[in-house]
Amino acid sequence: MSTVLIVAALTVALVSVVAAVLYAGAGRGAGRGGGRGGRIGRGGLKRRFGPEYERVLARHDGDSKAAERELAARVERHGGLRPRTLAGERREQYVAHWAGLQERFVDSPREAVTAADELVVRLAEERGYPAGDRRDDQFDALSVHLPHQVNGYRVLRHMAAEEGRTASTEELREAIVGARELFERLILAHAGDGAVGRPRRVGRNRDLLRS
């Protein structure tokens, strides 16, 4: 065999080996895509965030790449968070506070909404989410772990702020009802729980705001 043919054969063999190595590496990288450091594809983000994905997509005027960059950044920052379990005594105290603000709603609906917002912020912080003085960061973390419950809380937050000063009593009532599911999830979930399923209703107190 001539020298030219030998060199050509070795070149082909080397290219084949390099291609096989690169292919194997790409396969391993795809397998790690759902991890904290890996890139999550569109399908993974839609499954993880559910309605929150659609809301962020609409806020970016349908720009899926921009929406996915935002959501992927949230996962990168907060995906490794493992919420702390709430002690039974603290759980009962929070349930009592929630029942109290529901009673207060009858006479002072706006004050009750503000109290509900503050209670959820405090509860989330105690569960291990970012501190209440970093509310946007706390909200982003909640959206990563409880995306199906977080929109109701978003409405409550708006109502508790300036946006709620012209809201009707019915709108304020709906805000508390909407946030209750997130509150219940934070109360009942254990450390490391994901955003799956619906919780039972908390406590046995008369629920003045039942929808």
Side-chain angles (χ1 to χ4, degrees), residues 116-129:
D117 179 41
E118 293 171 352
L119 189 65
V120 172
V121 167
R122 193 161 65 247
L123 172 59
E125 183 174 347
E126 188 165 343
R127 288 296 314 275
Y129 290 91

Side-chain angles (χ1 to χ4, degrees), residues 6 30 63-64 76 118 177 181 192 195 197 207:
I6 293 173
D63 186 340
S64 59
E76 179 67 23
E118 293 171 352
V177 170
E181 189 171 358
D207 191 347

